[in-house]
Amino acid sequence: MEIYQVKVFLEVARCLSFTEAANTLSLTQPAVSAKIKSLESALGTSLFHRLGRRIELTEVGKYLLEEGAYLVDLEAQLLAEIEEIKQGKFSKISIGCMTDTLEHWLPTVLFEYRRKYPQVQTQCCNFQSIEQLYRGLKNGEIDLGISDLSFAKFEEIAEIPIDTIRYSLMMSSSHALAQHQWLSLEQLQNQPWVLLPEGTPSRTILNCRLQELGLSLANFPNIEIVDTLSLVRTYLLKGHYLTFLSNFEFPVERQTDWIQSIPLQEFALDIPLYLLMSKRLRRALENLGKTSFRGQRALEPIQHFITMLEAGVQPLFDLEVATTRSPKIPTPASQQKVPHFQSPNFCLRVSSSQASNTITLTIGTQNRTIQTVTAGLIIQRLGLLEHFLPRNGRYSNTHYQIQWWDYTSGAPIVAGLESKHIDIGILGDYPLLLSANLQNQSSLDTNQTRLISFIASNLDGKGNDVIVPNRSALNSLEDLQGRAIAVPFGSAAHGMMIRALHHKNLLQNVNLTSIENLDPRSLANPNNLVDGYAYFAPFHEILKHRGGFRRLLQESLNELPTFHGVVIQGTLADEYPEIAIAYLQALIAAQYWYLQTPIAPTLVSRWVNLDQGIITKTLRAFESSNLEGSFFSDTKIRTDWLNEHIKQLAAISGHEYLSQINLDRWIQTEFLHQAIATL
């Protein structure tokens, strides 16, 4: 048995095709067939079952596929060690990557590595395509590879996230768009573009993202394709073209302000940079130090390199369900692991299958309820749900239709959940409980909603207020006796008023009437026949900001925390759990983006047409905001808060049914755990 015969066998076994293996190995099909026959003759047994045009592995073939790669790796290791001995060296590490990584990321890393391990010889291999990098890893030409495309589809390759890359729009600093702080691909379709060829990482990442969003390069009629970054630079500086590249490219030109980099709305998150190696090498490294084996010394430089890269990895979000109330604000996002876009998978061949199944998702949001924008508006604007939705396995032929229905309060969302017209609902505390009660109207699990996450919280309950005109003589809850207060029925503010008035024994003495139009501009009409308004944030802030209204009380009307959450249809949770997980991944990513992007409040204010001061006063923004904001983003499901709300409401006439809510059945935390585990 010869090693080369094993190499040929491994490729045929991987492809289950003599033709594909021949193409990969640059051999003729008869030559591949001859090698396999020779190997079978040497072993005295068949390695494949021939089933017409198809082939399958025999039991011996399956064993050789599992163990034969070890022989190939061992041969490469022996040859490398012999070469090192010939050169008088025994410590070496070889790393392969694409040009941008080699020129702009790897040098600093290698400099630090050599400072720590000066005795180790480092060799860098520059590959012109991702496929060449894959071949280099597979054939043992390099020990490690670095890529911003994922190799998860290849069983023989292991990958470790080691850094992130930001992809963005680039242009000449003299370009008419260069003064913008934020742009969207939709705004740029008619601009002239210059891109690198098919197969380059930047092109692959752009193509995959466009496909997620239902677009393609065909939507951009003015595109030039060039072969080198030097030509891209010329097009940018001489022709005022746009391009799409990573932050590794043109560092000098950007530092000297020749080229401007502008964030793209569709690429709001970074993409991982992976360290690649064969899985056999990974297993050998995991056993390093546990047992003594030949070649252990040769692995130590690789282990040191990986250890240096892995240093500084931050812990994941703490998304456990809280069982006790805690006044502590969540850990700042800068101390948590950063959500990122999933890297496109590198594939040797692109599937041509067309989507044959359509799943429609209808999401009920409250975009002008600023504390919930991370669960609706931001996900929608940044296209985050389209990115995280599953597209592999049973979803490989699935097309998604996402419908965003925006409402001014929670009551119509509860009604939509009950009628099955809404699949995912964004609700405040009181309407959340009303949606939970749907589960008690039927014994069938399919008729239930499921609470899968919180969105934002206010610990002292100041998210709801009673607003009265400045000229009003009302100053306390007691003053409301015999008065009329308008409130959006079924909202968090409605629940707050019911609890507060019940506590003061005033519920039967105050007329709560419905607000049919939540437009604050219409409420300043002096002909309104009410004495004040009960609102949830930010509507009371809008009224105060525009003048003419003041808060009835300076303190909170009750001590209960205010919160918002996400509920989904039980059928969606049961039939498509991966979609629920994808939505939560998008939520976590949106919250991180809002907290860490200084321009985020400005963009949200444009999207909802509200003053930026209202935005930051309602939802805590990036860290430099000095803890301003009534609400903070928080996905923890607080069971104690839910229980306390139920306890107080169920004591009020007409709300006794809320005590029947089964929180253990309603709350479904596994989606949140899975979301963070796979983010």
Side-chain angles (χ1 to χ4, degrees), residues 288 388 442:
L288 193 61
F388 289 106
S442 171

Side-chain angles (χ1 to χ4, degrees), residues 474-485 497 501 504-511 531 552:
L474 303 178
N475 291 296
S476 67
L477 278 181
E478 288 77 6
D479 293 341
L480 297 180
Q481 186 162 342
R483 304 283 187 159
I485 297 296
M497 283 301 296
L501 292 174
K504 296 285 187 178
N505 294 316
L506 293 172
L507 187 54
Q508 303 304 318
N509 304 107
V510 178
N511 179 22
D531 300 284
L552 177 69

Side-chain angles (χ1 to χ4, degrees), residues 179-297:
Q179 301 308 311
H180 288 257
Q181 294 180 283
W182 183 265
L183 287 167
S184 168
L185 287 173
E186 290 185 3
Q187 302 170 262
L188 306 170
Q189 292 186 19
N190 293 320
Q191 293 284 333
W193 287 76
V194 57
L195 299 174
L196 290 172
E198 193 78 34
T200 54
S202 62
R203 182 74 176 275
T204 302
I205 288 168
L206 178 60
N207 287 343
C208 289
R209 186 67 172 126
L210 289 173
Q211 184 177 8
E212 290 173 357
L213 299 171
L215 300 171
S216 71
L217 288 182
N219 298 104
F220 298 77
N222 304 316
I223 293 180
E224 292 282 348
I225 307 299
V226 298
D227 294 324
T228 66
L229 279 172
S230 297
L231 278 171
V232 172
R233 182 192 298 109
T234 301
Y235 273 76
L236 297 188
L237 297 178
K238 299 289 187 181
H240 286 82
Y241 280 68
L242 307 178
T243 194
F244 175 80
L245 293 171
S246 78
N247 58 322
F248 291 170
E249 277 95 2
F250 301 143
V252 175
E253 290 85 349
R254 287 185 286 118
Q255 187 175 12
T256 56
D257 203 30
W258 289 3
I259 290 176
Q260 185 75 22
S261 175
I262 298 177
L264 278 169
Q265 183 167 300
E266 294 80 3
F267 290 87
L269 301 178
D270 291 348
I271 290 175
L273 185 69
Y274 291 107
L275 183 69
L276 309 171
M277 69 190 78
S278 70
K279 285 190 176 178
R280 285 202 168 271
L281 174 58
R282 180 63 186 240
R283 288 195 291 268
L285 292 170
E286 290 171 351
N287 292 322
L288 193 61
K290 297 179 182 178
T291 58
S292 178
F293 58 91
R294 192 184 184 286
Q296 182 170 349
R297 182 180 171 188

Side-chain angles (χ1 to χ4, degrees), residues 142-158:
I142 53 175
D143 300 312
L144 304 171
I146 298 169
S147 170
D148 47 359
L149 297 184
S150 172
F151 279 62
K153 287 186 176 294
F154 294 93
E155 294 184 357
E156 70 272 28
I157 303 293

Side-chain angles (χ1 to χ4, degrees), residues 237-489:
L237 297 178
K238 299 289 187 181
H240 286 82
Y241 280 68
L242 307 178
T243 194
F244 175 80
L245 293 171
S246 78
N247 58 322
F248 291 170
E249 277 95 2
F250 301 143
V252 175
E253 290 85 349
R254 287 185 286 118
Q255 187 175 12
T256 56
D257 203 30
W258 289 3
I259 290 176
Q260 185 75 22
S261 175
I262 298 177
L264 278 169
Q265 183 167 300
E266 294 80 3
F267 290 87
L269 301 178
D270 291 348
I271 290 175
L273 185 69
Y274 291 107
L275 183 69
L276 309 171
M277 69 190 78
S278 70
K279 285 190 176 178
R280 285 202 168 271
L281 174 58
R282 180 63 186 240
R283 288 195 291 268
L285 292 170
E286 290 171 351
N287 292 322
L288 193 61
K290 297 179 182 178
T291 58
S292 178
F293 58 91
R294 192 184 184 286
Q296 182 170 349
R297 182 180 171 188
L299 295 179
E300 291 178 352
I302 300 174
Q303 182 62 64
H304 293 155
F305 185 78
I306 296 172
T307 300
M308 187 186 76
L309 291 179
E310 288 184 321
V313 174
Q314 299 297 328
L316 295 174
F317 284 99
D318 177 15
L319 295 180
E320 295 296 324
V321 176
T323 55
T324 59
R325 178 178 175 181
S326 171
K328 184 178 179 182
I329 302 301
T331 304
S334 61
Q335 300 177 19
Q336 302 168 339
K337 186 174 179 180
V338 177
H340 50 69
F341 276 145
Q342 299 165 344
S343 296
N345 284 301
F346 162 64
C347 298
L348 288 175
R349 295 168 185 83
V350 179
S351 173
S352 59
S353 62
Q354 299 295 317
S356 58
N357 179 39
T358 298
I359 295 177
T360 300
L361 295 174
T362 302
I363 305 171
T365 67
Q366 301 179 62
N367 289 340
R368 287 173 68 88
T369 305
I370 300 304
Q371 56 269 34
T372 69
V373 291
T374 58
L377 179 65
I378 291 176
I379 294 177
Q380 180 183 2
R381 288 281 182 160
L382 303 187
L384 295 175
L385 183 55
E386 288 88 342
H387 175 75
F388 289 106
L389 282 170
R391 301 181 188 276
N392 297 320
R394 69 178 178 130
Y395 298 98
S396 58
N397 294 323
T398 298
H399 173 70
Y400 296 99
Q401 289 184 347
I402 305 175
Q403 300 175 345
W404 299 90
W405 292 359
D406 187 28
Y407 298 93
T408 55
S409 68
I413 298 177
V414 174
L417 289 165
E418 183 175 9
S419 66
K420 304 297 188 294
H421 290 124
I422 291 178
D423 301 301
I424 300 174
I426 313 303
L427 296 168
D429 41 50
Y430 182 55
L432 270 177
L433 296 178
L434 297 182
S435 79
N437 188 58
L438 299 178
Q439 67 176 310
N440 297 308
Q441 297 176 8
S442 171
S443 60
L444 297 176
D445 287 347
T446 55
N447 288 338
Q448 298 176 13
T449 62
R450 311 286 174 81
L451 176 65
I452 60 173
S453 177
F454 272 15
I455 301 167
S457 306
N458 179 288
L459 296 174
D460 54 18
K462 291 182 180 179
N464 303 295
D465 262 316
V466 177
I467 301 297
V468 296
N470 287 336
R471 65 181 183 279
S472 174
L474 303 178
N475 291 296
S476 67
L477 278 181
E478 288 77 6
D479 293 341
L480 297 180
Q481 186 162 342
R483 304 283 187 159
I485 297 296
V487 60
F489 280 176

Side-chain angles (χ1 to χ4, degrees), residues 610-624:
L610 284 178
D611 186 270
Q612 184 176 333
I614 299 292
I615 308 301
T616 55
K617 197 167 185 178
T618 303
L619 182 61
R620 186 166 302 158
F622 56 96
E623 289 181 79
S624 61

